[in-house]
Amino acid sequence: MNSLQRLLFENVVLMKRWTCRLKRAKLTIITGLIQPVLWLVLFGQLFSRIMQPETLEGVSYIAFLTAGALVMTVYEASAVGGVELLFDRETKFLERLLAAPVSRFSLVANRFVYLILFSCLQCLLMIATAALLGVTVKTGVGGVLVILLISALFSAGIATVSIILAFVTKNHADFFSIVGFMGLPLMFCSSALIPLSRMPDWLNIIAHINPLTYAIEGIRKLVIFGWDWPYILKMIGVIVAFDLVVMAISVKILRRGLTVS
Amino acid sequence: MTTAISVQNLYMKFNHTLALDGASFEVRKGEIFGLLGPNGAGKTTTIKILLSLLRPTGGSVRISGVDVLANPQEARKIVGWVPQETAVDRLLTGRENLYLIAGLYHIPPKAARPKIERLLEIFDLTDAADRVVSQYSGGMKKRLEIAAGLLHEPAVLLLDEPTLGLDIHTRRKLWDYIRLIKRSGTTILLTSHYLEEADALCDRVAIIHKGKIMACDSPAHLKAEYGQPRIRVEPAEPLRPEQLQSYLRALSGVGRLSAHRADPHEIRLDVDDPFAATKAALAEAEKLGIPLKGVSAVHTSLDDVFIKITGSDILEANAVE
């Protein structure tokens, strides 16, 4: 094996750990399948009377909500996903892994890649659920592929934040308080539930520095309106910039967390 | 080459405490070597340095000739480790765990399969292989962890407190597995604070205390060198305080009272000649009219050696930590 093959092999081996667990985690699978339906049906119905097409640039609320629900689902899974590395730290299984001649990079990368792939799966599930409820992606199969790309890029940034938290928090109780605390403000300070143009000015400003907004806006464009390449590329550009920033921050923290002291 | 592990002048400083203070020892190829000491003596620190999980402040470490500090990844390939804590994923089955660990040593599934099936059989885990580890008993889990440590056929196996928390029966069974591993030619370094375990298993032991190696030899040699012939006098009935007083006074010429051993049920004496001392103890008892159940010679244990060398009992030392 050359070093690239070895890296690939290690990541496949380590990811198998998560898929083995997932196939036994019936509850996770069931709730994961129901979650998208809850989002679209409950939220969609709750706001359908007050959110009229004229406030939403001419579309039904459920169509409008699809992008927000999709991004929130991806966000939640990715933001919590790093905790497995924290559990490994807590149980000291991480030490056992570090004692093997495996690349230190692989020990984190496998979880990162798994979370991105998992997000893509959830993304497809959400699109399928929306289709069942009558919302089809305006840009067709090509659009779905770009939605997957945006979800993956967005998930990459959030997963990185989650992995950083797994190495800087003392224990999983702290981890969950932080992650739980972040979710609501990030959702309300984004265009997940209502259009940017309908937000109070100060919230609108905050929404513009929130990476969720860019993922939502890009996907919403593809779901409802159609191919607006300059706009979509701008959204992707901001998400990539966000990814690069958090990854740059993570390098030092991970190096310290994974090397000998 | 006959040296499996060579540790020279190892220092490890954490903030202001010196966990290792110039420790040196050598483990010979094919032997079971015990590193003995209370918690905090430096056992786990030494193991972690051998695995490159810690970088020592000073000193050198070689495993089968590989310089561990210069080539950590090379060293990790030839070392197996069974940590005191978690060595397997509780949410995977035994078999899944073994494939995972095999993968971490770059053994592809096809090559891993026969190794895994053989180890499952050796460690009597074939029937439990497809059960999730969280359902395993303590002994089963430990056996799986040891099997996982042997997958890549390491030259050296490090066992960190292998029987901690297991009941006596399971511990003794585990000793048989450890002897089996030795017979296959693997060198074993184990840490323990059960001294009778080290006595039963180890070819040689090192006693580590406050980061220093205080003694290093076979258990028999250590007992011969540091051991103290001793007799045990058992009265037929518990002695009354004044009886105990006068009897102890009469015995003062026979030997010294062993530490912690002046109770009305049993008197232990450090002596020079157990035979002469036994006769004297019987004679003194008869003179004072104290009926005895018996007098016997006491064999030296590693505990005695440990107390002699470190000045404290290993379990008491643990309790202080």
Side-chain angles (χ1 to χ4, degrees):
Chain A
M1 279 195 260
N2 64 36
S3 52
L4 190 70
Q5 284 172 318
R6 194 171 316 135
L7 215 59
L8 205 67
F9 176 77
E10 290 171 355
N11 275 280
V12 170
V13 164
L14 284 160
M15 263 194 273
K16 215 158 169 219
R17 186 179 165 207
W18 313 123
T19 52
C20 282
R21 281 191 189 183
L22 184 66
K23 74 179 184 232
R24 272 191 294 274
K26 292 195 184 68
L27 202 67
T28 311
I29 294 172
I30 293 167
T31 52
L33 284 169
I34 297 173
Q35 183 96 333
V37 182
L38 287 185
W39 260 104
L40 292 178
V41 173
L42 285 186
F43 260 105
Q45 289 297 307
L46 187 66
F47 288 109
S48 58
R49 286 263 174 88
I50 31 170
M51 300 297 260
Q52 294 299 313
E54 48 270 27
T55 23
L56 300 167
E57 298 160 52
V59 295
S60 73
Y61 187 61
I62 196 162
F64 176 85
L65 187 66
T66 299
L70 193 157
V71 170
M72 278 316 294
T73 309
V74 168
Y75 167 82
E76 274 162 18
S78 306
V80 176
V83 79
E84 290 297 345
L85 296 176
L86 178 52
F87 285 142
D88 282 352
R89 271 181 63 212
E90 286 176 332
T91 60
K92 305 228 172 144
F93 188 55
L94 184 64
E95 278 190 354
R96 175 66 189 89
L97 298 174
L98 285 166
V102 63
S103 139
R104 319 286 96 172
F105 173 75
S106 298
L107 291 178
V108 173
N110 78 88
R111 187 69 194 166
F112 175 76
V113 175
Y114 173 80
L115 288 177
I116 292 175
L117 293 177
F118 190 77
S119 295
C120 288
L121 212 70
Q122 283 186 310
C123 178
L124 285 175
L125 189 66
M126 185 61 88
I127 290 170
T129 310
L132 286 177
L133 295 168
V135 181
T136 49
V137 176
K138 183 109 178 244
T139 45
V141 177
V144 171
L145 289 177
V146 179
I147 291 173
L148 277 176
L149 174 72
I150 294 175
S151 300
L153 288 171
F154 174 70
S155 166
I158 301 299
T160 305
V161 173
S162 181
I163 290 170
I164 291 174
L165 284 176
F167 280 92
V168 297
T169 49
K170 270 202 218 76
N171 52 51
H172 66 270
D174 285 4
F175 178 94
F176 285 119
S177 335
I178 294 174
V179 169
F181 177 79
M182 286 192 325
L184 272 190
L186 280 172
M187 178 172 76
F188 287 119
C189 299
S190 78
S191 56
L193 303 177
I194 64 164
L196 283 171
S197 57
R198 302 285 165 189
M199 285 175 136
D201 289 342
W202 67 275
L203 266 179
N204 192 322
I205 292 167
I206 297 174
H208 275 89
I209 53 168
N210 182 352
L212 267 78
T213 304
Y214 295 88
I216 294 164
E217 289 300 308
I219 292 171
R220 184 167 289 150
K221 195 62 104 183
L222 290 159
V223 173
I224 301 176
F225 303 106
W227 293 106
D228 181 350
W229 276 113
Y231 187 80
I232 291 162
L233 285 177
K234 196 175 121 194
M235 298 300 115
I236 290 178
V238 174
I239 297 167
V240 170
F242 164 67
D243 289 353
L244 292 176
V245 169
V246 289
M247 281 175 192
I249 295 169
S250 74
V251 171
K252 214 175 157 185
I253 292 163
L254 294 181
R255 195 162 283 165
R256 199 180 46 210
L258 292 169
T259 48
V260 293
S261 40
Chain B
M1 194 183 41
T2 53
T3 306
I5 301 175
S6 161
V7 170
Q8 299 297 331
N9 251 322
L10 214 52
Y11 284 89
M12 183 76 215
K13 207 172 169 183
F14 294 112
N15 298 320
H16 296 293
T17 53
L18 209 52
L20 288 174
D21 187 5
S24 300
F25 63 89
E26 291 204 340
V27 179
R28 294 175 194 151
K29 213 171 160 184
E31 72 177 347
I32 301 183
F33 186 90
L35 194 56
L36 315 178
N39 293 335
K43 287 173 295 173
T44 303
T45 306
T46 307
I47 295 251
K48 285 189 177 167
I49 291 171
L50 289 171
L51 294 158
S52 303
L53 293 176
L54 283 175
R55 184 167 275 278
T57 320
S60 75
V61 186
R62 285 179 172 274
I63 298 175
S64 296
V66 176
D67 184 338
V68 174
L69 302 181
N71 290 307
Q73 290 294 61
E74 284 309 304
R76 287 181 185 124
K77 284 181 196 166
I78 53 173
V79 182
W81 180 36
V82 183
Q84 203 176 313
E85 279 123 344
T86 322
V88 289
D89 186 333
R90 289 179 68 252
L91 298 176
L92 297 184
T93 66
R95 192 176 263 117
E96 286 167 351
N97 265 299
L98 293 178
Y99 276 101
L100 168 67
I101 303 286
L104 295 176
Y105 290 86
H106 306 108
I107 307 169
K110 230 187 207 155
R113 215 184 138 215
K115 291 178 201 287
I116 288 173
E117 296 310 320
R118 213 190 71 230
L119 283 168
L120 284 171
E121 202 166 308
I122 291 173
F123 286 93
D124 298 312
L125 288 167
T126 307
D127 293 337
D130 291 318
R131 263 156 55 196
V132 177
V133 172
S134 53
Q135 299 169 4
Y136 280 26
S137 69
M140 281 163 77
K141 180 158 172 276
K142 197 42 100 176
R143 261 147 51 204
L144 178 69
E145 292 176 331
I146 294 175
L150 289 169
L151 273 166
H152 61 296
E153 291 161 28
V156 170
L157 182 67
L158 309 179
L159 296 171
D160 203 353
E161 300 280 356
T163 62
L164 191 72
L166 300 178
D167 61 72
I168 301 267
H169 176 71
T170 314
R171 278 172 64 194
R172 284 177 189 270
K173 250 183 88 184
L174 208 60
W175 293 356
D176 291 335
Y177 289 108
I178 293 172
R179 290 191 186 104
L180 198 70
I181 299 165
K182 182 200 158 158
R183 278 204 289 280
S184 74
T186 310
T187 306
I188 297 170
L189 169 67
L190 64 83
T191 71
S192 185
H193 58 249
Y194 295 126
L195 294 177
E196 111 269 7
E197 170 169 299
D199 203 353
L201 274 177
C202 296
D203 299 302
R204 292 193 311 134
V205 297
I207 291 178
I208 186 168
H209 184 61
K210 294 183 178 158
K212 281 195 172 88
I213 303 291
M214 309 294 283
C216 180
D217 211 330
S218 68
H221 280 158
L222 284 178
K223 283 187 282 191
E225 191 179 341
Y226 294 95
Q228 170 69 57
R230 192 171 282 177
I231 60 165
R232 179 173 59 196
V233 182
E234 285 176 286
E237 278 161 24
L239 297 175
R240 293 189 306 276
E242 69 277 10
Q243 258 184 325
L244 183 62
Q245 283 286 316
S246 51
Y247 191 39
L248 283 178
R249 217 172 304 122
L251 289 173
S252 63
V254 176
R256 261 176 310 106
L257 190 64
S258 309
H260 321 296
R261 296 289 180 198
D263 71 56
H265 307 273
E266 178 186 295
I267 296 167
R268 288 196 182 209
L269 292 175
D270 293 352
V271 298
D272 294 329
D273 178 354
F275 184 66
T278 305
K279 281 201 293 188
L282 285 168
E284 294 298 339
E286 198 160 339
K287 250 190 259 171
L288 292 168
I290 296 171
L292 293 182
K293 198 190 284 172
V295 182
S296 52
V298 180
H299 293 291
T300 310
S301 69
L302 267 186
D303 290 271
D304 301 317
V305 176
F306 191 87
I307 291 169
K308 194 98 172 191
I309 291 175
T310 67
S312 59
D313 191 289
I314 191 163
L315 294 174
E316 280 174 23
N318 271 331
V320 171
E321 285 302 324

